[in-house]
Amino acid sequence: MNDNTPRNPITLLGLGDMGTALARTWLAAGYPLTVWNRTSAKAEALASDGAAVAASPAEAVAASPLVVLCLLDDASVEAVLDGIDLTGKDLVNLTTGTPSEGRTRAAWAEARGARFLDGGIMGTPSMIGPGAGGYVFYSGSRALFDVHRPALEAPAGARFVGEDAGHAALHDVALLSAMCGLFAGISHAYALIEGEDIAPKDLAPLLSAWLGAMGFFVGNAAERLTSRDFTSGVESNLAMQVAASGTLLRTAAEQGVSTELIAPYLELMRRRLEADPASHGGEDTTGAITLLKR
Ligand code: NDP
């Protein structure tokens, strides 16, 4: 954004840790900002930085064409906007939710005469601000996204991922779910060395480098899921990996470590192999993904 970009007014409902970070960035970038928060002290703390503090959600919504929500969950969005006239408003919902909640909330907003954009924030409050590294997935009204893009890009990068209002949440949750598996594996690794003469800080760079090297699986799996070819060019086949998984489980037992974080994935590989050892034994592990969809 350059200095000639118009700063259209913004209303922000919700000033928790994330909402406050967004508010401070918009204020620093010169946007006229109206804020409301259930606990009014958090809103009043922003008044000295130039925010207009609304006495009610209705007053806040009336103040700007662009209304951003950053509340705890979808139920709080429903509670805060209940009974408020949204005709002609552009609603941007940065509250974390499921894809279904995003779609339902979009239909709900449109039925009240508002355009709707759902957002999934990829970053923590300290990653909000120019160059701080955070970004937001957006989906829903393309027209809304295009009109308000400069304002949306002020606090964090903006990636539009389609007009299906559920797709921002789906991208957000896909990335967070992958992170769960990553953190689970890292946690298991540190538990294995606990009590041994290996310092966590010495294992850390080895873990980082190894996980980086294994990052090739992300793109590799995407290609295989597209081509449905799970066997060409496989270097570490499923039969070998299932056999090796016994070593992972026995080592955990030797070290007195629960296998609860890694066993489900190893079990999935075993099930894929067992279903048809002759044809699946030469696959990589991508084929196991096909067992997950219910
Ligand atoms: P906080 O818990 O710090 O703040 C929650 C906000 O929601 C507060 O403003 C709170 O008001 C308000 N709220 C909760 N329930 C209600 C209700 N029933 N009616 C009115 N207001 C309500 O959360 P964050 O600010 O950290 O997170 C906000 C959103 O951003 C969440 O959906 C979260 O998942 C998402 N997010 C957060 C990240 C983070 O690292 N913090 C990262 C990515 C996304 P009050 O102050 O009165 O309690």
Side-chain angles (χ1 to χ4, degrees):
M1 188 177 63
N2 63 47
D3 281 349
N4 298 322
T5 306
R7 267 69 163 172
N8 297 322
I10 303 171
T11 281
L12 174 62
L13 302 168
L15 296 168
D17 293 337
M18 185 54 83
T20 298
L22 293 168
R24 290 199 186 287
T25 312
W26 276 316
L27 289 168
Y31 282 88
L33 184 71
T34 300
V35 294
W36 174 86
N37 192 61
R38 179 179 61 179
T39 305
S40 58
K42 292 181 193 169
E44 279 142 23
L46 291 167
S48 57
D49 293 328
V53 179
S56 67
E59 190 182 306
V61 168
S64 321
L66 175 60
V67 176
V68 180
L69 298 134
C70 189
L71 297 163
L72 187 64
D73 55 15
D74 189 59
S76 46
V77 173
E78 174 98 43
V80 166
L81 293 181
D82 185 40
I84 294 177
D85 182 10
L86 300 176
T87 313
K89 296 294 173 184
D90 283 339
L91 285 191
V92 177
N93 187 17
L94 299 181
T95 306
T96 302
T98 68
S100 169
E101 285 168 350
R103 291 178 187 126
T104 304
R105 190 59 54 203
W108 177 95
E110 282 153 18
R112 283 160 182 75
R115 291 191 293 194
F116 183 85
L117 193 63
D118 202 42
I121 303 173
M122 303 312 301
T124 58
S126 65
M127 293 167 74
I128 299 300
Y135 71 90
V136 181
F137 288 119
Y138 289 103
S139 67
S141 168
R142 176 84 218 194
L144 189 168
F145 179 77
D146 288 341
V147 167
H148 296 292
R149 190 168 188 161
L152 298 176
E153 284 182 334
R159 296 180 190 206
F160 186 79
V161 290
E163 300 215 86
D164 180 332
H167 279 188
L170 193 51
H171 281 75
D172 181 358
V173 173
L175 267 57
L176 293 178
S177 300
M179 185 181 76
C180 273
L182 187 68
F183 285 9
I186 294 166
S187 302
H188 184 83
Y190 279 126
L192 285 179
I193 62 157
E194 203 164 284
E196 298 280 347
D197 192 16
I198 303 171
K201 69 174 175 40
D202 291 335
L203 192 69
L206 304 173
L207 262 180
S208 287
W210 179 247
L211 293 175
M214 292 299 104
F216 80 91
F217 179 65
V218 177
N220 196 286
E223 278 174 26
R224 292 191 186 283
L225 288 168
T226 306
S227 66
R228 310 310 278 184
D229 175 357
F230 302 127
T231 50
S232 299
V234 169
E235 291 189 81
S236 308
N237 69 58
L238 192 64
M240 178 280 289
Q241 296 219 49
V242 169
S245 69
T247 310
L248 271 57
L249 296 171
R250 288 197 310 279
T251 302
E254 285 176 15
Q255 297 300 106
V257 171
S258 162
T259 58
E260 65 196 297
L261 293 179
I262 63 165
Y265 185 61
L266 300 179
E267 173 59 14
L268 195 73
M269 289 200 294
R270 193 195 61 75
R271 271 174 54 210
R272 175 71 177 175
L273 179 66
E274 232 173 46
D276 187 349
S279 60
H280 295 164
E283 294 179 349
D284 79 335
T285 57
T286 309
I289 296 170
T290 62
L291 297 179
L292 288 171
K293 192 87 179 179
R294 291 196 172 134

